[in-house]
Structure formats: C-alpha cells, structure tokens
Amino acid sequence: QVQLVQSGAEVKKPGASVKVSCKASGYTFTNYVMSWVRQAPGQGLECMGWINIGNGYTKYSQRFQGRVTITWDTSASTAYMELSGLRSEDTALYYCAREVSFSELDHWGQGTLVTVSS
Amino acid sequence: QSVLTQPPSASGTPGQGVTISCSGSSSNIGSTYVYWYQQLPGTAPKLLFYRSNQRPSGVPDRFSGSKSGTSASLAISGLRSEDEADYYCAVWDDSLGGPVFGGGTKLTVL
C-alpha cells in the first residue's frame, strides 16, 4: 500500500534552515508529483510547492519563493523540503502529499512539526 | 485570506444532515474541479472527493460532493460522531501554479 513516512520533529532557532524528508513506498516514485503543504497551529492548509519527480520540475508558491527548495532522491524514493531563514511564523506542521493530478492529493505523510524558537 | 470561502464552523446532531459550502469565482471553481479533504483531529488530511463529486474507495456514500457555477458543496447525511473534523475545499489555481485551499470548516457533531 502507498505510504509516505516523514522525518521527525525539529526545533530550530530563528534564521536557521530545516530539511524535512518524505520517504515513499508502495508505488513507482517517479510517476507522481510530490507536494508540500503546511499548517500553522490552529490554521488551515497552504501549499508551499511541488516537484514532478519524473522530470525534476519544481514550482514554488510565491509566498515561499527564495526560501524553499524541494529536491528528491530517486534511489531512496525520498523527497525533501528545505526551508531557510526560519522565523517564528514558520512554526507549523509540514506535510508531504502525493499528487495524482491538479489538487488531487491522494496520500499524505503523517506530518513533521517544525518549531522555531529562540 | 483564501480565494475560496468556507464558513468557519458547522454543526449538527447525530443522524442529521449538514452541508458545507465553498465559494469561489469564475477563475477557480467556475472553471475547474473541486476537491474536498477531511482532517480528523490530530491527523493528516484525507482526500474525501476528487473531480468535484467522485468519492475515493472507502469514503461512505453518506458523503456527497457537488459543484454549481462558482460554488461547491459537501453534504453529509446521517451524521456520526466520527464525522467531527475540519473540512477543506481545494482547487487548482493557474496563476499560482498549485492548489489553493479554502479556510476550512470545523464540523461539530453535537
């Protein structure tokens, strides 16, 4: 069965960077897009960007442009999301999700809590 | 502030029906499919509907999705306590090049 397993919680200081991983199994990794969605405490869902694993094309939300980088490792069936210049407002749950087609996110990781605190 | 507007809350008693709306515009809902996600407390979101009214396997037929013009709706009949969750609508936004979500509706089963 399809599974997305994310790396564990992180605590970072303001200005630092964080890299979250998302290991996929149960399907052909290169056949899908992987999206990253974040959820601040008590808030809604926000797409940060996505990567077409098949061709490496990435698209970032303008809100995070310049601070977010999404990469992948086909041999490890793992996607990564790195966010730099962390500020307290970046404290949130970060999810990876497999995208079947536009906005159709059919499998989600369990989420990774990133806490930014001095 | 999202381009998709949802009521922040909705409620109903067990057995009742409830409808959650998602309002957009001709450039989003009016021109593409709508997706719905259910987020149970403390868990990751789960796809509830794709292509406006298609249920993934495992989603009970108590749930139904529809779209008309620039609005979409999620209807739940025969409410159960386990339906208590946050519900989000989403559409693809060409200008953003990615999905946008509504603000979410917290459903309380009284």
Side-chain angles (χ1 to χ4, degrees):
Chain A
Q1 73 283 20
V2 175
Q3 274 197 302
L4 301 175
V5 178
Q6 298 183 224
S7 48
E10 303 260 13
V11 179
K12 296 291 183 181
K13 293 202 180 305
S17 297
V18 69
K19 191 170 185 176
V20 179
S21 68
C22 170
K23 182 168 177 58
S25 61
Y27 71 98
T28 302
F29 184 59
T30 52
N31 284 359
Y32 291 86
V33 167
M34 193 72 79
S35 291
W36 288 87
V37 177
R38 89 169 185 182
Q39 186 171 38
Q43 302 299 309
L45 304 172
E46 179 177 28
C47 182
M48 302 176 68
W50 50 266
I51 181 166
N52 183 325
I53 303 290
N55 61 20
Y57 178 82
T58 55
K59 177 72 175 178
Y60 302 125
S61 165
Q62 223 169 0
R63 213 161 99 78
F64 301 96
Q65 193 84 37
R67 290 208 298 143
V68 67
T69 305
I70 299 173
T71 56
W72 83 107
D73 180 347
T74 302
S75 64
S77 296
T78 300
Y80 304 90
M81 186 283 300
E82 183 169 19
L83 187 63
S84 61
L86 290 170
R87 15 198 204 243
S88 58
E89 312 88 86
D90 293 319
T91 293
L93 265 169
Y94 290 79
Y95 293 101
C96 61
R98 188 180 82 162
E99 186 160 341
V100 176
S101 67
F102 304 111
S103 299
E104 185 178 342
L105 305 172
D106 70 339
H107 287 87
W108 294 65
Q110 83 277 19
T112 296
L113 178 63
V114 175
T115 303
V116 183
S117 173
S118 54
Chain B
Q1 198 134 5
S2 176
V3 298
L4 303 178
T5 302
Q6 298 181 238
S9 63
S11 63
T13 55
Q16 264 190 337
V18 67
T19 299
I20 296 171
S21 62
C22 174
S23 177
S25 68
S26 57
S27 64
N28 45 60
I29 291 180
S31 58
T32 188
Y33 292 118
V34 178
Y35 298 79
W36 288 94
Y37 295 89
Q38 176 193 57
Q39 187 175 31
L40 297 170
T43 70
K46 167 191 160 185
L47 180 66
L48 203 58
F49 281 94
Y50 62 98
R51 296 185 189 176
S52 303
N53 59 11
Q54 301 298 301
R55 267 190 308 271
S57 60
V59 174
D61 59 8
R62 300 186 294 107
F63 293 84
S64 62
S66 64
K67 187 187 97 162
S68 178
T70 59
S71 292
S73 295
L74 169 68
I76 311 171
S77 62
L79 268 178
R80 297 183 176 186
S81 58
E82 58 259 37
D83 298 333
E84 195 162 278
D86 293 323
Y87 293 86
Y88 295 89
C89 58
V91 294
W92 181 264
D93 188 304
D94 274 339
S95 60
L96 295 178
V100 290
F101 295 91
T105 298
K106 184 175 185 61
L107 174 64
T108 301
V109 180
L110 302 167

